[in-house]
Amino acid sequence: MPDLRDLYQQIVLDHNRSPRNFKELPDANCTAEGTNPLCGDEITLYLRVEGDIIADVGFQGSGCAISQASASLMTSAIKGKSKDEAEGLFRAFHAMVTAGPGTKPDTTKLGKLAALSGVRQFPARVKCANLAWHTLHEALSGTGGRVSLE
Amino acid sequence: MTVRRVATQLVTTRSKRDVATVRADFPVLAGSANGKPLVYLDNAATSQKPRAVIDALTQFYSADNANIHRGVHELSQRATLAYEGARGKLQRFLNAADPHEIIFLRGTTEAINLVACSYGRENFRAGDEIILSAMEHHSNIVPWQIICEMTGARIRVIPMTDSGELELDAFRHLLTDRTKLVAVVHVSNALGTINPVKEITALAHEKGVPVLVDGAQAAPHGPIDVQDLDADFYALSGHKMLGPTGIGVLYGKSALLDAMPPYQGGGDMIRSVAFEKTTYAPLPAKFEAGTPHIAGALGLGTAVDYLRGLSWEWIQSHEHDLLVHATETLQEIPGLRIVGTAARKASVVSFVIDGVHAHDIGTILDQEGIAIRTGHHCTQPIMQRLGLSATARASFALYNTHEEVEALAEGVRKVQEVFG
């Protein structure tokens, strides 16, 4: 039986109420847009990449608490990291939220991102948590495109 | 608030007893979700099915299954009689003048696509105009856009007020010599608004313009008389009115349907086929190419029998009581706002809560066993018009109870607790 307190942890509610890095970066050199057409969540992600390092990051968008908190937590986690490190976090985060109900995923390397581990108990909400991360993946691997989670 | 309490104590007491009897006919309502008794308030998405409908499907596949209109054998004749019998039931349900005006299709979406493809392709030209309303479901927008792209016709939109009512004065001005069709929803799935369809058809007919009515949300809530409404086309979906999925109806006036080219080609819709020339079957077969959803049609016929057995008077009075109860209870909750406050509404309550996204409301209610719909309800133009990205929607059916309304309100308070 999933517990709502696992999904809506205080840190998640806090990042939803006061999202970090919620801004457009005028000097961004890498951007991508992500949408979740079924529920209407949307996010625009702005990165300033210097060499291999994500020097600054911002996002704008609207959506449910999980999508907004996930975007906010992600931007805090990747600022100052290398592109490879960010991709590594993407893989670890993705594995955590898609581990399925009843599992105990390894969250040791994820820091505050572990606050979203409860999402794995709510399969209908996994896409909400993943939206920002898929958008980041697109921004880093593509030339700045659009992600649509169908 | 324009919805007023009209229920008397007497009606409420009677409803309580009757609704318990009705609920016993719906096996799924005795079930649970997330360990709690199921509170099913997503009826505008799809209704639950009474045992009679479930049994009709089982009975057909267990005892009578055969293809229709073909075999000389006993089973095929039984299947044909049952299928055509269902057509007669739908004719009476809609008060159509003739059973061949009832075309069995997959549902409202296919019915609208049929009219767009067949009537539209034949009659629309560059510069023509199709009038839709601001509160259409995507299924009554996109088929017209597709046909407009092919023909060069364009779409005009009847605006709506903030409360969710169509502006008929604006409609009068939109009707011109360029107008070739009006397509309008009878009851809005997102707002609950009951539109003045009879007035709309009268205005359109003054200009000689035919009207298609999307009746998907109207059919389960009250009597429909296509002749009284003077609708030229009327579309409905079986699954929203206690019937199976995958079956629905297009009603069309004989003269219009007769003049329209076929929508799909195939078996059963022909009189004779040669490589040089094929002649088409008369109505309704002309529009029913291929083996139809025979069991679905029987199931829908049974659903219609069930609805008629309950009496519209009781259904309408009970659902109105639920609407009033839900409206009054929810609007007392601070921070909650009801979206769609038309004077005439079906039992649909859309709402938003300050600081909480609709999907979070949906997840938290789901943990309480309460099923509602969240999102844009396939009506993104309504959301844009009202400046919203999503709403939570509770939609009530004849088997819902006043206790379930209270459970919903309690669930909403829990949502606010979680989001503190």
Side-chain angles (χ1 to χ4, degrees):
Chain A
M1 182 67 190
D3 190 330
L4 278 176
R5 281 168 301 190
D6 291 340
L7 183 64
Y8 296 111
Q9 296 189 21
Q10 273 312 318
I11 185 167
V12 171
L13 294 172
D14 172 49
H15 276 257
N16 174 50
R17 256 192 307 269
S18 327
R20 320 298 197 265
N21 307 304
F22 193 86
K23 60 185 178 188
E24 186 179 346
L25 289 190
D27 54 352
N29 54 9
C30 194
T31 66
E33 288 174 25
T35 58
N36 199 337
L38 273 180
C39 47
D41 294 348
E42 52 190 29
I43 171 181
T44 306
L45 186 66
Y46 307 94
L47 302 175
R48 199 179 80 242
V49 182
E50 291 174 1
D52 192 41
I53 301 296
I54 299 170
D56 201 2
V57 54
F59 81 101
Q60 289 185 312
S62 63
C64 65
I66 303 303
S67 74
Q68 296 301 291
S70 181
S72 172
L73 283 159
M74 181 190 81
T75 56
S76 305
I78 63 171
K79 200 188 282 192
K81 296 273 195 308
S82 73
K83 291 203 276 190
D84 278 353
E85 286 169 330
E87 288 283 4
L89 282 174
F90 166 65
R91 285 189 295 274
F93 183 85
H94 190 263
M96 174 181 78
V97 294
T98 55
T103 54
K104 278 224 170 288
D106 176 17
T107 58
T108 45
K109 292 182 187 134
L110 284 165
K112 282 186 179 173
L113 298 171
L116 283 160
S117 68
V119 171
R120 74 187 188 285
Q121 315 271 14
F122 295 82
R125 305 305 297 275
V126 171
K127 275 186 193 167
C128 311
N130 268 335
L131 179 62
W133 288 93
H134 282 286
T135 310
L136 171 71
H137 182 65
E138 175 66 25
L140 291 176
S141 60
T143 49
R146 287 170 171 275
V147 182
S148 182
L149 300 189
E150 302 286 348
Chain B
M1 191 66 222
T2 39
V3 175
R4 283 182 237 284
R5 183 178 284 280
V6 296
T8 62
Q9 195 58 44
L10 195 89
V11 171
T12 309
T13 315
R14 200 195 82 175
S15 290
K16 205 166 184 172
R17 191 181 65 238
D18 292 351
V19 81
T21 320
V22 168
R23 285 180 75 80
D25 293 335
F26 291 78
V28 79
L29 297 179
S32 61
N34 285 314
K36 306 271 171 63
L38 173 67
V39 176
Y40 187 77
L41 304 179
D42 195 16
N43 295 288
T46 197
S47 66
Q48 297 300 343
K49 322 301 174 197
R51 189 177 300 283
V53 169
I54 300 166
D55 288 350
L57 299 179
T58 310
Q59 166 67 20
F60 176 72
Y61 285 126
S62 313
D64 302 320
N65 177 53
N67 212 330
I68 52 168
H69 300 153
R70 291 174 178 77
V72 294
H73 58 80
E74 154 81 14
L75 236 52
S76 173
Q77 289 176 30
R78 256 192 254 157
T80 303
L81 269 178
Y83 182 75
E84 293 306 325
R87 196 188 307 280
K89 288 178 186 181
L90 270 296
Q91 177 209 349
R92 290 187 290 280
F93 182 77
L94 293 173
N95 193 32
D98 194 294
H100 72 222
E101 294 177 322
I102 302 294
I103 314 292
F104 281 127
L105 299 163
R106 279 189 297 148
T108 305
T109 297
E110 191 175 30
I112 296 170
N113 274 279
L114 186 157
V115 177
C117 287
S118 171
Y119 185 86
R121 208 157 44 193
E122 187 86 348
N123 294 289
F124 300 168
R125 300 284 175 269
D128 288 349
E129 293 180 349
I130 317 306
I131 299 180
L132 310 179
S133 90
M135 62 176 82
E136 297 310 313
H137 188 279
H138 295 167
S139 62
N140 202 22
I141 299 174
V142 184
W144 305 112
Q145 288 175 325
I146 292 172
I147 212 70
C148 281
E149 258 179 42
M150 292 169 67
T151 59
R154 61 182 193 137
I155 287 167
R156 307 297 303 273
V157 180
I158 311 169
M160 69 173 196
T161 64
D162 291 343
S163 65
E165 291 177 322
L166 292 183
E167 298 183 28
L168 288 193
D169 277 342
F171 174 54
R172 284 189 188 90
H173 288 107
L174 286 172
L175 277 167
T176 68
D177 295 341
R178 293 185 297 277
T179 312
K180 286 295 177 295
L181 186 101
V182 174
V184 68
V185 70
H186 197 165
V187 172
S188 161
N189 70 310
L191 304 171
T193 309
I194 302 173
N195 284 316
V197 166
K198 196 171 171 175
E199 213 175 325
I200 289 170
T201 58
L203 288 168
H205 290 164
E206 278 174 21
K207 295 270 182 187
V209 177
V211 179
L212 176 142
V213 181
D214 167 0
Q217 298 292 338
H221 297 301
I224 295 160
D225 183 333
V226 289
Q227 297 190 71
D228 180 56
L229 293 173
D230 205 10
D232 299 280
F233 299 103
Y234 198 97
L236 57 79
S237 293
H239 73 96
K240 294 199 197 283
M241 48 185 287
L242 316 184
T245 52
I247 187 75
V249 164
L250 171 69
Y251 158 82
K253 287 180 180 168
S254 287
L256 285 165
L257 292 175
D258 263 332
M260 284 158 55
Y263 168 55
Q264 293 180 335
D268 227 27
M269 56 74 75
I270 49 87
R271 182 171 280 142
S272 71
V273 175
F275 283 111
E276 294 72 30
K277 171 128 185 95
T278 288
T279 53
Y280 304 123
L283 295 174
K286 181 171 80 173
F287 290 113
E288 293 183 2
T291 298
H293 187 4
I294 304 165
L298 308 194
L300 178 53
T302 307
V304 162
D305 287 343
Y306 184 87
L307 284 168
R308 290 166 75 96
L310 286 182
S311 99
W312 283 125
E313 190 195 356
W314 179 80
I315 293 171
Q316 288 184 307
S317 131
H318 176 59
E319 289 185 355
H320 181 75
D321 287 352
L322 292 172
L323 173 66
V324 172
H325 186 179
T327 303
E328 289 182 348
T329 309
L330 290 178
Q331 70 188 0
E332 278 170 14
I333 299 175
L336 184 148
R337 181 167 66 86
I338 290 175
V339 178
T341 52
R344 292 185 67 230
K345 273 184 73 172
S347 48
V348 172
V349 184
S350 258
F351 59 93
V352 290
I353 300 177
D354 288 345
V356 190
H357 192 276
H359 296 130
D360 298 308
I361 300 173
T363 292
I364 296 168
L365 292 180
D366 180 45
Q367 292 306 297
E368 301 298 310
I370 303 169
I372 61 156
R373 171 85 188 265
T374 63
H376 53 59
H377 316 296
C378 296
T379 55
Q380 285 180 321
I382 294 184
M383 298 296 134
Q384 281 158 15
R385 164 66 181 79
L386 300 175
L388 300 167
S389 62
T391 72
R393 180 190 70 189
S395 51
F396 301 88
L398 51 95
Y399 42 67
N400 286 124
T401 66
H402 290 278
E403 288 76 13
E404 290 177 314
V405 172
E406 294 297 335
L408 171 66
E410 198 50 46
V412 167
R413 282 181 211 108
K414 174 131 195 200
V415 170
Q416 292 181 314
E417 260 171 54
V418 170
F419 274 77

